[in-house]
Amino acid sequence: MAAQFPVFDLGRFEKADAGERQRLGVEVDAICRSTGFLAIANHGVPQQVIDAVWSKAHDFFDLSPDEKQKAKAPYKGYPYGYLGPELEALAKSRDVDSPPDLKESFNGGPLSVPAGMTDEQALAFCYAATIWPDEPDGFVPAWKAYYSALEDLAARIMRLFAVGLKLPEDYFDAFIDAPISALRALNYPEQTTPPKPGQLRAGAHTDYGSLTILLPQEGSKGLELITPDGNWTPVPPVPGAFVINIGDLMALWTNDRWVSTMHRVVNPSPEDGGMARRQSLAFFHQPNWNAEIVCLEQCLAPGEAPKYAPVRSGPYLMSKFQATTK
């Protein structure tokens, strides 16, 4: 799978002339129509920004349970702060009952509230305050620097996606000029007891927004996606690259031309390190709270009707998130 996993050079696209950009857009369109997963190399995010947040997240998860709980979400369903082990079941976002996932996380939202935002649901949910930890020292600036860099990268990938869909390159800009994206640092602790029947590190799910930018631990195993033939297939970490996958709203925008692929994190086998600790960073790019996601005409054949009714980005995200923490 590692040799076949598509790796796309974003810097090459951004430096290309119009004709080459169109050709590269066709390449991305083909990937997003098949698995919806690809690696983005030459992405322009400084390595020191990546290393800093990775190190601070690792140090945070190394803290005692009592220390981590000081940054916990204040009530069930609150989106940000520390979420302890076995408090979330991602499979429930698909109405599948499952044991809670074998992971813990720290979650943070947008770094500012847009001027004029008055929607009470938005202010209470995606613009709620992030519950920052006191330790480790330097955690907050490292987190904010990475969040800002990934917000910029997501916007650049959305321009690539627009070209892949034969839209003006800036088509999505108006939908994502005040995105309600979230960053999650995920830790899959070392397990000393066998999992419950059907219990995974992260249950099978699709992501909810436009795209996800994942930084898996180098050399780690466990992330799998469903391929078009219905089989679960490993997604390998690609050194120096981010793993990108399409979310539900992009599938809705494209009438399922592009795939919001189901994926999961399984419990590794003993020969793959057993239940050793594993870390990742996931940036969930989400269009503006009030963005209305309506099927693109370019993705409809003559006479074809959209498969999905239009949705508003924020309320859709909120309903999905709350289903996972019931």
Side-chain angles (χ1 to χ4, degrees), residues 68-86:
K68 286 183 284 191
Q69 288 294 338
K70 292 179 182 178
K72 72 176 181 180
Y75 54 81
K76 201 170 187 179
Y78 191 87
Y80 307 132
Y82 175 65
L83 194 64
E86 301 193 49

mmCIF file of all heavy atoms in Angstrom, residues 68-86:
data_model
loop_
_atom_site.group_PDB
_atom_site.id
_atom_site.type_symbol
_atom_site.label_atom_id
_atom_site.label_comp_id
_atom_site.label_asym_id
_atom_site.label_seq_id
_atom_site.Cartn_x
_atom_site.Cartn_y
_atom_site.Cartn_z
ATOM 1 N N LYS A 68 -3.792 16.641 33.856
ATOM 2 C CA LYS A 68 -4.505 16.790 32.587
ATOM 3 C C LYS A 68 -5.956 17.195 32.814
ATOM 4 O O LYS A 68 -6.527 17.998 32.060
ATOM 5 C CB LYS A 68 -4.424 15.492 31.776
ATOM 6 C CG LYS A 68 -3.055 15.253 31.166
ATOM 7 C CD LYS A 68 -3.008 14.010 30.302
ATOM 8 C CE LYS A 68 -2.954 12.730 31.101
ATOM 9 N NZ LYS A 68 -2.652 11.551 30.261
ATOM 10 N N GLN A 69 -6.563 16.667 33.872
ATOM 11 C CA GLN A 69 -7.971 16.963 34.154
ATOM 12 C C GLN A 69 -8.202 18.438 34.476
ATOM 13 O O GLN A 69 -9.335 18.923 34.369
ATOM 14 C CB GLN A 69 -8.481 16.092 35.308
ATOM 15 C CG GLN A 69 -8.680 14.622 34.955
ATOM 16 C CD GLN A 69 -9.783 14.393 33.933
ATOM 17 O OE1 GLN A 69 -10.670 15.220 33.751
ATOM 18 N NE2 GLN A 69 -9.735 13.256 33.263
ATOM 19 N N LYS A 70 -7.153 19.166 34.820
ATOM 20 C CA LYS A 70 -7.311 20.603 35.076
ATOM 21 C C LYS A 70 -7.732 21.353 33.818
ATOM 22 O O LYS A 70 -8.273 22.456 33.911
ATOM 23 C CB LYS A 70 -6.007 21.188 35.624
ATOM 24 C CG LYS A 70 -5.635 20.695 37.014
ATOM 25 C CD LYS A 70 -4.317 21.302 37.463
ATOM 26 C CE LYS A 70 -3.893 20.795 38.834
ATOM 27 N NZ LYS A 70 -2.577 21.356 39.254
ATOM 28 N N ALA A 71 -7.459 20.763 32.648
ATOM 29 C CA ALA A 71 -7.843 21.386 31.379
ATOM 30 C C ALA A 71 -9.026 20.673 30.727
ATOM 31 O O ALA A 71 -9.267 20.836 29.536
ATOM 32 C CB ALA A 71 -6.653 21.389 30.424
ATOM 33 N N LYS A 72 -9.770 19.906 31.507
ATOM 34 C CA LYS A 72 -10.852 19.108 30.916
ATOM 35 C C LYS A 72 -12.011 19.980 30.443
ATOM 36 O O LYS A 72 -12.226 21.090 30.945
ATOM 37 C CB LYS A 72 -11.357 18.071 31.921
ATOM 38 C CG LYS A 72 -12.162 18.657 33.067
ATOM 39 C CD LYS A 72 -12.704 17.545 33.954
ATOM 40 C CE LYS A 72 -13.539 18.114 35.108
ATOM 41 N NZ LYS A 72 -14.071 17.055 35.975
ATOM 42 N N ALA A 73 -12.737 19.454 29.477
ATOM 43 C CA ALA A 73 -13.973 20.099 29.035
ATOM 44 C C ALA A 73 -14.919 20.199 30.231
ATOM 45 O O ALA A 73 -15.065 19.231 30.983
ATOM 46 C CB ALA A 73 -14.612 19.293 27.916
ATOM 47 N N PRO A 74 -15.567 21.347 30.459
ATOM 48 C CA PRO A 74 -16.345 21.551 31.688
ATOM 49 C C PRO A 74 -17.624 20.734 31.781
ATOM 50 O O PRO A 74 -18.148 20.543 32.879
ATOM 51 C CB PRO A 74 -16.651 23.052 31.666
ATOM 52 C CG PRO A 74 -16.527 23.450 30.241
ATOM 53 C CD PRO A 74 -15.487 22.565 29.653
ATOM 54 N N TYR A 75 -18.137 20.263 30.664
ATOM 55 C CA TYR A 75 -19.326 19.408 30.699
ATOM 56 C C TYR A 75 -19.357 18.546 29.437
ATOM 57 O O TYR A 75 -18.676 18.828 28.452
ATOM 58 C CB TYR A 75 -20.619 20.227 30.832
ATOM 59 C CG TYR A 75 -20.801 21.308 29.776
ATOM 60 C CD1 TYR A 75 -21.293 21.011 28.501
ATOM 61 C CD2 TYR A 75 -20.485 22.638 30.060
ATOM 62 C CE1 TYR A 75 -21.456 21.995 27.544
ATOM 63 C CE2 TYR A 75 -20.652 23.633 29.108
ATOM 64 C CZ TYR A 75 -21.137 23.306 27.853
ATOM 65 O OH TYR A 75 -21.294 24.285 26.907
ATOM 66 N N LYS A 76 -20.144 17.502 29.493
ATOM 67 C CA LYS A 76 -20.246 16.561 28.380
ATOM 68 C C LYS A 76 -20.776 17.281 27.144
ATOM 69 O O LYS A 76 -21.782 17.983 27.222
ATOM 70 C CB LYS A 76 -21.175 15.417 28.766
ATOM 71 C CG LYS A 76 -20.978 14.161 27.949
ATOM 72 C CD LYS A 76 -21.763 13.000 28.551
ATOM 73 C CE LYS A 76 -21.436 11.703 27.837
ATOM 74 N NZ LYS A 76 -22.152 10.560 28.415
ATOM 75 N N GLY A 77 -20.102 17.115 26.035
ATOM 76 C CA GLY A 77 -20.516 17.777 24.810
ATOM 77 C C GLY A 77 -19.812 19.100 24.561
ATOM 78 O O GLY A 77 -19.981 19.685 23.498
ATOM 79 N N TYR A 78 -19.010 19.580 25.544
ATOM 80 C CA TYR A 78 -18.230 20.796 25.317
ATOM 81 C C TYR A 78 -17.102 20.446 24.352
ATOM 82 O O TYR A 78 -16.419 19.433 24.530
ATOM 83 C CB TYR A 78 -17.671 21.313 26.647
ATOM 84 C CG TYR A 78 -17.082 22.704 26.571
ATOM 85 C CD1 TYR A 78 -17.887 23.817 26.751
ATOM 86 C CD2 TYR A 78 -15.732 22.905 26.327
ATOM 87 C CE1 TYR A 78 -17.365 25.113 26.696
ATOM 88 C CE2 TYR A 78 -15.187 24.182 26.261
ATOM 89 C CZ TYR A 78 -16.009 25.285 26.452
ATOM 90 O OH TYR A 78 -15.480 26.566 26.385
ATOM 91 N N PRO A 79 -16.861 21.260 23.323
ATOM 92 C CA PRO A 79 -15.983 20.804 22.248
ATOM 93 C C PRO A 79 -14.490 20.893 22.503
ATOM 94 O O PRO A 79 -13.713 20.232 21.815
ATOM 95 C CB PRO A 79 -16.374 21.715 21.078
ATOM 96 C CG PRO A 79 -16.870 22.974 21.735
ATOM 97 C CD PRO A 79 -17.541 22.534 22.998
ATOM 98 N N TYR A 80 -14.049 21.716 23.468
ATOM 99 C CA TYR A 80 -12.619 21.996 23.576
ATOM 100 C C TYR A 80 -12.080 21.674 24.960
ATOM 101 O O TYR A 80 -12.812 21.554 25.926
ATOM 102 C CB TYR A 80 -12.345 23.461 23.229
ATOM 103 C CG TYR A 80 -12.923 23.873 21.900
ATOM 104 C CD1 TYR A 80 -13.662 25.048 21.767
ATOM 105 C CD2 TYR A 80 -12.744 23.082 20.763
ATOM 106 C CE1 TYR A 80 -14.197 25.421 20.549
ATOM 107 C CE2 TYR A 80 -13.284 23.444 19.542
ATOM 108 C CZ TYR A 80 -14.014 24.613 19.436
ATOM 109 O OH TYR A 80 -14.557 24.979 18.233
ATOM 110 N N GLY A 81 -10.743 21.578 25.012
ATOM 111 C CA GLY A 81 -10.066 21.187 26.238
ATOM 112 C C GLY A 81 -9.704 19.716 26.189
ATOM 113 O O GLY A 81 -9.717 19.066 25.139
ATOM 114 N N TYR A 82 -9.375 19.187 27.347
ATOM 115 C CA TYR A 82 -8.937 17.796 27.459
ATOM 116 C C TYR A 82 -10.139 16.866 27.549
ATOM 117 O O TYR A 82 -11.089 17.118 28.290
ATOM 118 C CB TYR A 82 -8.058 17.623 28.696
ATOM 119 C CG TYR A 82 -7.657 16.195 28.968
ATOM 120 C CD1 TYR A 82 -6.847 15.488 28.081
ATOM 121 C CD2 TYR A 82 -8.102 15.535 30.117
ATOM 122 C CE1 TYR A 82 -6.481 14.181 28.330
ATOM 123 C CE2 TYR A 82 -7.731 14.228 30.382
ATOM 124 C CZ TYR A 82 -6.922 13.548 29.477
ATOM 125 O OH TYR A 82 -6.566 12.244 29.719
ATOM 126 N N LEU A 83 -10.078 15.804 26.748
ATOM 127 C CA LEU A 83 -11.103 14.762 26.795
ATOM 128 C C LEU A 83 -10.395 13.464 27.161
ATOM 129 O O LEU A 83 -9.542 12.982 26.411
ATOM 130 C CB LEU A 83 -11.797 14.637 25.436
ATOM 131 C CG LEU A 83 -13.104 13.850 25.375
ATOM 132 C CD1 LEU A 83 -14.185 14.526 26.209
ATOM 133 C CD2 LEU A 83 -13.569 13.710 23.926
ATOM 134 N N GLY A 84 -10.714 12.921 28.328
ATOM 135 C CA GLY A 84 -10.002 11.768 28.860
ATOM 136 C C GLY A 84 -10.289 10.476 28.115
ATOM 137 O O GLY A 84 -11.137 10.423 27.214
ATOM 138 N N PRO A 85 -9.604 9.395 28.490
ATOM 139 C CA PRO A 85 -9.770 8.102 27.817
ATOM 140 C C PRO A 85 -11.213 7.598 27.892
ATOM 141 O O PRO A 85 -11.902 7.777 28.892
ATOM 142 C CB PRO A 85 -8.821 7.178 28.585
ATOM 143 C CG PRO A 85 -7.819 8.088 29.225
ATOM 144 C CD PRO A 85 -8.571 9.343 29.542
ATOM 145 N N GLU A 86 -11.628 6.981 26.802
ATOM 146 C CA GLU A 86 -12.907 6.275 26.712
ATOM 147 C C GLU A 86 -14.115 7.183 27.006
ATOM 148 O O GLU A 86 -15.081 6.782 27.627
ATOM 149 C CB GLU A 86 -12.920 5.047 27.632
ATOM 150 C CG GLU A 86 -11.819 4.051 27.298
ATOM 151 C CD GLU A 86 -11.995 2.697 27.966
ATOM 152 O OE1 GLU A 86 -13.098 2.144 27.882
ATOM 153 O OE2 GLU A 86 -11.026 2.195 28.550
#
